[in-house]
Amino acid sequence: MPHSQHKNGNLFARWADFSYRNAIWIIPLILLFTSLSTVYTANNLGVHTDTTDMLSEEVPFRANHIRYRQSFPQHEDTLVLVLNAPTPEQSHHAAKRFTQFLHNDPAQFSSIYFLTGEPFFERNGLLFKDIAELERIADHLSAAQPMIARIAESPTLHTFASVLTEAVEELRKGRKLELEQVFDGVGATLNARLQGQSRPLSWQALLGGEAQKDTYLEIISVQPALDYSQIFAAEQPINAIRSAAQEMGFSEHAAKTLRITGEVALAHDELDSAMHGAQDAGVLALVMVAVVLLLAFRSVGAIVTVILSLIIGLLLTAAFATVAVGHLNLISIAFAVLYIGLGVDYAIHFILRLEETRTSGESISNALHKAGGDIGQSLLICALTTAIGFYAFMPTTYRGVAELGIISGSGMLISFLITMTLLPAMQRIFPARIKSPPVSNRSNRSLLDLPHRAAKWVYGMTVVAILASAIALPHIRFDYNLLNLNNPHAESITTFQELLKSPEESPWYINILTDDAQRIEQTSQRLRKLPEVDKVVSILDLVPENQEEKILLIEEMAMVLGPISFSTTAFQISDYYTVPEQRAALQKLAATLDRFMTEQPAHNSNASARKLHRSLANLLAHLETQQHGKDHFLRATGHDLLNLLPDSIQRLQLALSAEPFAQGDLPTSVNELWHSHDNFYRIAVYPKENINDNDALRRFVRSVQTIAPDATGVPVISLEAGEAVVDAFIHAFSLALIGVILTIRIMLRSFAATLLALAPLLLAALFTGAGTVLFDLPFNFANIIALPLLLGIGIDSSLHMVYRSRNSGETHDNLLHTSTARAIFYSALTTLVGFGSLMFSTHQGTASMGLLLTIGLFLTLVCVLIILPVLLQSFDRVKQGAI
C-alpha cells in the first residue's frame, strides 16, 4: 500500500479512536448543536412554492413572461371557476351571484372577470353573432312570439299545453314551423320530472333555435391572495370559495356544480397530492427500511445508531440550507430524499466494516481503530466525488436544480463528518452488539461466485445489453405536460382537461405582446393562416363588423317581440286550473301529436314528436296511478317548463337594446384585458388541437414562434421550461462527470482504477435510459430529480468496490464475500424499498420517480455486483500476465 494511503488510514483510525474515547462529551455537543440548528432552521427556513422562480430570469422565455406579467398581471396566478347548470339561464344566474360574492371579499379576491356577465356584453352580445345566425334567431323569434305573448298573460301548464297543441295543429296543416327543438326539450323535461328530477326547459336555447344540451358552463377568472409563507399558498381563498359554493347550493351531485381549476388550483392540488402521496409511501417505506436494516445488522442497537446519524445529518443539512440559501423550493426540497438515500450508504458501510473486523475477536476499540482506518478514506473519496457531482449543478440556469446542488453536495460532506464522528462515539454509549450472520452455505457461496465462473456469459450479455440500449436511447422522451405530474383524479385536473378539449374554452393559449396598434391586424392575419391555430383574438375583435346591418336585424326582432312583461303574481294563475282541466289539456296535446304523426309520417319533426308523445303518455299514466299529490306534481311540471321564461325574455329584451360602438366605448374592465397600462396590446392565439398531447403542444408552440419569437403563455413556458431543465441537467451531469473523473483520478492515482470505477456508473446510466423506453416511462419535471441520487449511489458503490479491491488486499474471488459487497447491497436495497414505495403515490410525478429509482437502483446493483467484479477479475489477470 502506498505510504500516503497508509498515512491517511492512520488519520482516519485516529479520528475514530478520538471519537470513541471522547464520546461522553462529543455526543452531547453534537446533540446540542443539532438542537440549536433545528430551532434556527424552524424559525428561518422558508419554502417557495412559486415554480416560476426556479428558472433564471435571464432565460429568454422567462424574460418574455416577466415582461408579460408586468403588462398584464391580472392574467397570472389565477383561479378558474367553472360553473355548470342544466340550462344557460341557470348557469348565467349562478355565475353572476358567485361573482358578487367574490367582489364582496376584496381582501382575498381581485381581478375578477366574468365576461359574459359584463353589462356591456349582456347588452351588445348579439352584435358579436354573424348575420346568418341573427337571421335564424329572428325567424325563431317571429314564430315563437305569439306563443310567448299568450303564455306571458297566463304562465300555466294548461296554457302552455294549449298553445303547443295549436302549434302542432298548424304543423299538421302544412305550415312551416321548426318545432324539433321544442318537442325534444319539452319531452326531456317531462321525462326528468317523471324520474323525480328537475330539468328546466331552456327558453334561451329554444329562441336561439338550438337543441338543449345536458349542461351549460360559465367561467369566472379570479386572482386570489396568495400567502407564499405557507406551504399551501392558496388554501385560504380556495376554502372560502368552497364554503360559499356549498352555502349557495353547489355540490358534486347537485344540478348546479362549481369546480375549481386554473394554475393556482393545479399547483395547490399537485402539492397536496405529492405530500399525501409521500406520507402514505413514507409509512410503507419506514416499515420496509426497518426490515432491511434488521436483516443487514441483526441488531437493534445498530439500527438505532444508523437512524440517529441520519436524522442528525438531515437536520444539520437543513440548517446549512437555511444559512446558505435561506429557503427551499419544490426542487431543492428533494435534498432530504437524496440525503437519506446516500447518507444511509455511509453508515451501513461503516457498521458492516466494524462487524467484519470484530469477527476475529477484536475488542470494540481495536475494531473501531481498524475499521476507521480501512473505511475512512473510501468514505471520503465517495463524499468528495458525490459532493462535486452535486456542486456541478450550481452553474445551471435552472435555479431550483442549482440550489439542490449546493444543499445536497454539502449534505454529503456533513454525512461523512457525522459518520466518522458520531458512529464511533455511539459505540461507547449505545454499543451495537452485532450478531454475526450464519456461515454461508455452499449454495450461497456458489451464487456469489457465479459471476466469476460465468465471466464469458456476463461479457456476452453486457455487450447485448449495450447494443440494445444504444438502439433504445433515441426514443427517450421528456414529458413537458405539467398536468401529467398531478393526481389524474383531482378536480382541478379533470376540469382543466375538459376545458382543453374545447378550442373555445381552452385555458392554454399563447400570448403575444406588441406596442404598435398598427401591427395587431397584420400579425393576427399571419397567425390565422397557420394550420395549428384555431383562432386569434385581439382588442380589434371586440369591435364586431357590419354593426349597422346587424342593428337593423336587432331592431326588427325588438319590434316582433314587442313589450312582453311578466307580473310578479303571474305564476299564481295556475291555482285557477284544476287537475282535470290540466290533464285534459295534456291529453289534447297528446291526441294532436298522434294525428300529426299518423297523417305525416315522413315529416322532419316526426321523430321528435313521437318522443314527446311517449313522454306525455307516461305522464298521463303516472297521473292515473297516483293517488295523492297530483296537483303538486303538475305544479312542479309547469314550473320546470315555464320558470325560466321571464328571465330569458328579460335578457333578450336587454340584448335587443344594443347600439353600435367603437373601440373607445369598451368599458375599462374589458379594455384592460387587451390594452395594458404601459401601452402594450395582447394577442391571444388558441390551438386547433388538444395540446394536452406533447407532440401537438410542440407543433403549436414552434409554429407560432416562427411569427412571434417572443410569444409567451403556459404552452410556451411548459415546452421551453422542459427543454431548459433537460439542458440544465445535461450541462450539470457533464460537469459532474468531469469533476468526478478528476477527483477519482486524483484520489486513486490510477487511470485504470478510474476507468474501472466509472464503468458501472456509465453502464447503469445507459441501461436506465433504455429502461425508461422499455417501461414507457418518460422523464418529467419530477422524476428527473432521481438522477442525482442514482449518480451518487453509482459513484459510491463503484468506488467502494474498487477501493476495497486495490487497497485492502482482497482478491476478486473474495470481493463479493466481503462486508463491502454486503454494504452496497443493503444500502441500495434500503434506498430501493424506501423510495421505491413512492410508486404507489397518487401524485403521478412522485410515482414515476419511484419507478425510475427502482429501475435505476436495480440496474446499478447489477452493474456493481455482477459486471464490475468480472471486470476486476479480468484486470487482475491482465496485470498478473504483464508481470
Side-chain angles (χ1 to χ4, degrees):
M1 181 183 295
H3 175 71
S4 61
Q5 293 176 347
H6 179 70
K7 184 177 178 180
N8 289 337
N10 288 335
L11 171 64
F12 294 117
R14 290 196 301 271
W15 187 344
D17 285 341
F18 177 82
S19 298
Y20 179 72
R21 289 196 308 269
N22 298 282
I24 197 165
W25 60 267
I26 287 180
I27 293 177
L29 281 178
I30 291 177
L31 292 176
L32 176 61
F33 183 67
T34 303
S35 300
L36 294 175
S37 299
T38 303
V39 173
Y40 175 78
T41 302
N43 293 329
N44 295 278
L45 183 63
V47 178
H48 287 185
T49 55
D50 189 354
T51 54
T52 58
D53 287 340
M54 291 191 293
L55 289 164
S56 171
E57 296 180 1
E58 298 178 0
V59 178
F61 81 89
R62 179 97 160 88
N64 293 335
H65 185 62
I66 291 173
R67 189 183 72 171
Y68 173 75
R69 292 188 66 162
Q70 292 171 345
S71 298
F72 295 97
Q74 67 270 36
H75 290 293
E76 297 298 308
D77 298 327
T78 58
L79 290 172
V80 176
L81 311 183
V82 180
L83 299 91
N84 284 82
T87 66
E89 296 94 331
Q90 289 175 304
S91 62
H92 186 82
H93 179 267
K96 292 199 72 170
R97 185 182 175 196
F98 208 87
T99 301
Q100 187 59 50
F101 156 75
L102 296 173
H103 280 295
N104 292 339
D105 192 358
Q108 290 198 92
F109 306 106
S110 60
S111 300
I112 304 162
Y113 298 101
F114 171 41
L115 293 182
T116 58
E118 283 280 341
F120 177 83
F121 287 113
E122 287 187 318
R123 180 175 182 179
N124 298 295
L126 289 177
L127 288 173
F128 290 90
K129 298 182 180 297
D130 57 43
I131 293 177
E133 190 174 1
L134 285 175
E135 290 175 341
R136 190 185 74 248
I137 294 174
D139 291 341
H140 281 88
L141 183 61
S142 177
Q145 195 280 337
M147 180 172 65
I148 295 173
R150 284 189 54 187
I151 294 175
E153 296 175 359
S154 174
T156 65
L157 176 61
H158 182 278
T159 303
F160 178 80
S162 300
V163 170
L164 189 55
T165 300
E166 294 173 6
V168 176
E169 281 288 355
E170 293 296 318
L171 196 66
R172 188 174 67 85
K173 294 175 181 178
R175 182 179 174 183
K176 278 192 166 186
L177 293 174
E178 296 183 9
L179 295 180
E180 292 92 334
Q181 286 82 11
V182 177
F183 292 162
D184 290 337
V186 174
T189 298
L190 297 181
N191 291 337
R193 175 50 55 190
L194 286 169
Q195 296 172 5
Q197 300 172 355
S198 175
R199 183 189 184 276
L201 180 64
S202 172
W203 287 87
Q204 179 178 326
L206 292 182
L207 294 175
E210 303 171 355
Q212 185 172 340
K213 298 183 291 187
D214 293 330
T215 185
Y216 292 82
L217 66 82
E218 293 283 1
I219 294 177
I220 303 173
S221 174
V222 57
Q223 207 169 52
L226 302 178
D227 183 4
Y228 283 112
S229 65
Q230 303 295 320
I231 294 180
F232 293 98
E235 184 172 28
Q236 187 171 344
I238 287 178
N239 287 341
I241 289 174
R242 295 201 185 282
S243 297
Q246 189 173 10
E247 292 175 3
M248 294 183 190
F250 294 96
S251 71
E252 182 179 358
H253 303 292
K256 295 184 297 181
T257 61
L258 184 147
R259 294 171 292 166
I260 306 176
T261 188
E263 58 182 300
V264 171
L266 291 169
H268 177 87
D269 283 349
E270 180 176 4
L271 187 57
D272 180 69
S273 174
M275 291 186 67
H276 282 88
Q279 290 173 2
D280 295 340
V283 175
L284 177 61
L286 184 61
V287 175
M288 297 299 293
V289 167
V291 171
V292 173
L293 291 177
L294 189 60
L295 291 173
F297 299 137
R298 303 172 186 271
S299 167
V300 175
I303 295 174
V304 171
T305 300
V306 171
I307 292 177
L308 182 62
S309 67
L310 274 178
I311 293 174
I312 290 176
L314 188 60
L315 293 175
L316 292 178
T317 304
F320 171 81
T322 307
V323 174
V325 182
H327 62 264
L328 298 176
N329 56 57
L330 293 179
I331 298 294
S332 64
I333 201 170
F335 87 90
V337 174
L338 302 180
Y339 182 89
I340 294 172
L342 295 171
V344 74
D345 178 35
Y346 298 171
I348 289 177
H349 274 279
F350 189 94
I351 294 293
L352 289 181
R353 181 61 67 89
L354 177 62
E355 171 196 350
E356 190 176 55
T357 58
R358 293 186 64 191
T359 55
S360 59
E362 294 277 1
S363 65
I364 185 66
S365 59
N366 290 338
L368 276 172
H369 181 89
K370 185 176 180 181
D374 288 345
I375 198 68
Q377 186 170 359
S378 177
L379 291 179
L380 177 61
I381 296 174
C382 291
L384 287 175
T385 52
T386 307
I388 289 173
F390 283 130
Y391 287 149
F393 285 30
M394 293 170 57
T396 66
T397 56
Y398 195 15
R399 187 181 301 163
V401 173
E403 293 174 359
L404 174 66
I406 188 173
I407 296 171
S408 296
S410 302
M412 295 302 96
L413 300 179
I414 291 172
S415 179
F416 170 74
L417 295 175
I418 292 296
T419 300
M420 293 302 299
T421 305
L422 182 62
L423 262 63
M426 290 289 292
Q427 298 307 308
R428 181 177 288 276
I429 308 302
F430 302 107
R433 302 185 182 278
I434 304 172
K435 298 179 181 178
S436 298
V439 178
S440 298
N441 56 39
R442 182 174 298 178
S443 61
N444 288 341
R445 287 185 174 276
S446 177
L447 181 63
L448 292 175
D449 292 335
L450 185 60
H452 302 295
R453 297 200 311 270
K456 291 183 179 180
W457 279 98
V458 171
Y459 278 125
M461 295 300 294
T462 302
V463 171
V464 171
I466 290 173
L467 294 176
S469 299
I471 295 173
L473 283 184
H475 301 285
I476 292 177
R477 296 181 295 118
F478 188 93
D479 188 355
Y480 304 100
N481 194 336
L482 295 172
L483 297 182
N484 292 337
L485 300 182
N486 214 325
N487 180 357
H489 304 295
E491 177 186 85
S492 61
I493 290 292
T494 56
T495 305
F496 202 87
Q497 289 177 334
E498 178 184 314
L499 295 178
L500 283 176
K501 294 177 182 178
S502 169
E504 291 294 325
E505 308 294 349
S506 177
W508 274 0
Y509 50 85
I510 289 178
N511 290 299
I512 300 171
L513 295 185
T514 178
D515 56 0
D516 185 359
Q518 303 301 319
R519 293 180 56 190
I520 297 176
E521 181 61 28
Q522 178 186 357
T523 303
S524 298
Q525 289 297 335
R526 292 178 63 194
L527 289 167
R528 290 188 179 101
K529 295 178 181 178
L530 297 175
E532 295 82 7
V533 172
D534 179 69
K535 65 175 180 178
V536 180
V537 181
S538 70
I539 195 169
L540 301 181
D541 297 291
L542 299 184
V543 182
E545 299 177 345
N546 305 317
Q547 291 192 45
E548 294 184 0
E549 187 175 354
K550 293 177 181 178
I551 286 294
L552 292 176
L553 284 171
I554 292 172
E555 290 176 348
E556 180 183 336
M557 284 189 281
M559 293 179 60
V560 169
L561 181 63
I564 295 177
S565 61
F566 294 81
S567 67
T568 56
T569 60
F571 281 88
Q572 298 177 2
I573 298 177
S574 59
D575 295 337
Y576 297 113
Y577 289 97
T578 64
V579 170
E581 289 174 330
Q582 295 180 76
R583 181 167 52 194
L586 293 171
Q587 288 173 335
K588 185 176 181 181
L589 173 59
T592 306
L593 283 169
D594 186 60
R595 286 197 300 273
F596 165 71
M597 292 184 295
T598 302
E599 294 174 5
Q600 301 194 38
H603 197 281
N604 293 335
S605 301
N606 194 281
S608 298
R610 191 173 303 280
K611 293 178 183 177
L612 176 57
H613 184 269
R614 188 180 305 114
S615 300
L616 284 168
N618 293 335
L619 185 145
L620 292 169
H622 177 76
L623 289 175
E624 290 294 334
T625 59
Q626 195 173 15
Q627 299 297 323
H628 304 285
K630 296 181 181 179
D631 184 66
H632 175 76
F633 177 80
L634 291 172
R635 190 187 302 273
T637 302
H639 185 273
D640 290 343
L641 291 170
L642 302 172
N643 183 55
L644 298 180
L645 180 58
D647 180 64
S648 298
I649 296 301
Q650 184 179 5
R651 289 180 60 195
L652 177 59
Q653 288 172 332
L654 177 62
L656 293 178
S657 65
E659 296 180 354
F661 64 90
Q663 185 175 317
D665 299 321
L666 292 173
T668 302
S669 59
V670 175
N671 188 76
E672 66 184 7
L673 294 174
W674 302 94
H675 187 195
S676 68
H677 59 89
D678 54 354
N679 206 35
F680 275 96
Y681 293 91
R682 180 172 75 95
I683 303 173
V685 188
Y686 289 81
K688 182 168 291 184
E689 298 178 274
N690 182 354
I691 55 175
N692 194 37
D693 174 74
N694 282 315
D695 293 334
L697 171 67
R698 177 180 290 276
R699 285 192 296 270
F700 175 56
V701 172
R702 295 302 182 221
S703 177
V704 172
Q705 285 179 330
T706 60
I707 295 175
D710 57 350
T712 186
V714 174
V716 176
I717 293 172
S718 295
L719 181 63
E720 298 290 3
E723 296 193 345
V725 170
V726 173
D727 291 342
F729 269 89
I730 291 175
H731 179 62
F733 274 98
S734 299
L735 292 177
L737 187 59
I738 294 172
V740 166
I741 292 173
L742 292 176
T743 305
I744 295 175
R745 179 67 179 85
I746 293 170
M747 298 299 291
L748 295 182
R749 303 185 179 187
S750 169
F751 182 73
T754 301
L755 289 179
L756 287 171
L758 288 174
L761 174 65
L762 298 178
L763 288 175
L766 178 65
F767 297 159
T768 301
T772 63
V773 177
L774 179 64
F775 287 91
D776 192 24
L777 177 65
F779 288 105
N780 55 51
F781 291 96
N783 65 26
I784 201 169
I785 301 171
L787 296 182
L789 178 56
L790 294 174
L791 172 68
I793 291 176
I795 293 172
D796 289 356
S797 300
S798 297
L799 278 173
H800 280 301
M801 291 288 282
V802 173
Y803 188 87
R804 183 68 183 265
S805 175
R806 295 182 67 246
N807 300 303
S808 298
E810 300 289 351
T811 65
H812 60 267
D813 295 321
N814 294 328
L815 196 57
L816 290 179
H817 298 275
T818 64
S819 63
T820 299
R822 288 177 57 215
I824 290 172
F825 174 76
Y826 283 119
S827 61
L829 187 59
T830 301
T831 306
L832 182 63
V833 300
F835 299 111
S837 60
L838 294 174
M839 287 190 294
F840 303 103
S841 172
T842 56
H843 183 264
Q844 296 304 293
T846 303
S848 69
M849 184 194 300
L851 180 56
L852 181 60
L853 279 170
T854 301
I855 296 170
L857 285 171
F858 172 76
L859 294 172
T860 298
L861 281 177
V862 170
C863 293
V864 173
L865 297 181
I866 297 178
I867 298 176
L868 180 58
V870 174
L871 291 174
L872 289 171
Q873 177 187 28
S874 300
F875 176 74
D876 285 349
R877 288 177 178 174
V878 171
K879 188 176 180 180
Q880 291 172 3
I883 295 175

